[in-house]
Amino acid sequence: MRTGANPITTAVRSWVLRSPGRLASGIAIIVAVLYLARLMITAVTGTAGDTTGPLANEANTNTTTTASQTATATEITETEVAAMSASSIGRSPATAAMYYAHVFVDTTASPTQWAVALSRVTRPERVNDTLAAARPTAPVSILGPTRTLPGTGTTGTTVEIDTSAGIMTVAVTDTDDGWQVDSPLPTLDLDDVAAASPPTTAPTTTTATTTPAPGTAPTPDRAPEAQSSSEPVPPTQQATSPAPIHAPVPGPIPIPELDTPMPGPIA
């Protein structure tokens, strides 16, 4: 038994086949309807069907979080940070804090070099005259590695560093340029620095001197001893000493006795 033709399909087939333009328009309409249907389904159900992208993103997020926590928890010493390059200083809170402490206690750098070095872990405008006045002038030693305090926030972290002048508490923040020291910038107590530093000058000894009173002549410590008569007199002293002078005896002049008689008068 032969059925009759479908009136709907027959009308569509006759409308499309009469003109190629109508055929192209029909295909474009079908594509547009399918595209709109896909958008509506996606908006309602979300991207539950596509699980590859979310799983990959979740894995990357977990890896980044684990690496960040590992870098945050790793402590560092002054020797390690002194050997680092400038690009590695801000890779973790510990490295930024230790670098700041290492530069801050450096007394050998000039004021310009000191300010430029601190600007690597903080904004240059923060290194002002107030911070320069708090720079220690006596040597300060860093006694150990960094100590990162737990639970100090996701973008901000506090790091403690033991020094010979007390504990330096450094607050660092995660920025686009790496970890940076936050304001107010940490300093050390200058009184503690002076107390911790050894004396730089040797003690001087003073000699007590006795000043004679005005109007009195200074007396020698020991008077010269008189020369003993039994000691021999040097020849030079014997020749130069004057002969003793005897006083004249009063009375008649004695006549010396002569062995020959005195001559008589001459005839």
Side-chain angles (χ1 to χ4, degrees):
M1 180 175 180
R2 185 177 180 182
T3 60
N6 191 341
I8 298 176
T9 57
T10 303
V12 172
R13 186 169 58 252
S14 61
W15 179 78
V16 170
L17 295 178
R18 288 181 180 178
S19 173
R22 293 177 181 178
L23 178 61
S25 300
I27 295 175
I29 292 172
I30 295 173
V31 172
V33 170
L34 294 177
Y35 180 75
L36 292 176
R38 182 177 180 276
L39 290 179
M40 293 176 63
I41 295 173
T42 303
V44 173
T45 61
T47 57
D50 190 4
T51 58
T52 304
L55 292 177
N57 293 334
E58 184 178 359
N60 293 334
T61 303
N62 294 335
T63 304
T64 304
T65 304
T66 303
S68 178
Q69 293 177 353
T70 303
T72 302
T74 302
E75 309 299 342
I76 193 168
T77 62
E78 184 182 11
T79 305
E80 293 174 345
V81 79
M84 284 186 177
S85 60
S87 58
S88 302
I89 293 173
R91 69 182 184 183
S92 69
T95 55
M98 178 58 77
Y99 178 82
Y100 177 87
H102 170 70
V103 174
F104 185 80
V105 301
D106 185 11
T107 58
T108 60
S110 64
T112 303
Q113 294 174 344
W114 185 77
V116 171
L118 285 181
S119 299
R120 295 175 181 171
V121 289
T122 188
R123 292 202 296 267
E125 60 270 14
R126 292 177 177 173
V127 187
N128 48 24
D129 296 337
T130 303
L131 182 65
R135 177 186 181 185
T137 56
V140 177
S141 301
I142 296 178
L143 304 180
T146 55
R147 186 171 56 253
T148 305
L149 301 183
T152 53
T154 56
T155 59
T157 305
T158 302
V159 181
E160 291 183 350
I161 300 172
D162 295 328
T163 68
S164 59
I167 298 177
M168 175 180 283
T169 304
V170 185
V172 290
T173 305
D174 190 9
T175 64
D176 295 338
D177 297 331
W179 290 90
Q180 296 281 315
V181 180
D182 204 355
S183 182
L185 299 181
T187 59
L188 291 172
D189 191 351
L190 296 181
D191 295 336
D192 295 341
V193 173
S197 61
T200 56
T201 57
T204 57
T205 56
T206 58
T207 304
T209 58
T210 304
T211 305
T216 61
T219 57
D221 295 341
R222 184 178 180 184
E225 298 180 356
Q227 187 175 2
S228 176
S229 58
S230 61
E231 295 180 0
V233 180
T236 55
Q237 186 174 359
Q238 294 178 357
T240 56
S241 60
I245 301 175
H246 301 281
V249 179
I253 299 174
I255 299 174
E257 294 181 0
L258 300 177
D259 295 337
T260 58
M262 295 183 63
I266 300 176

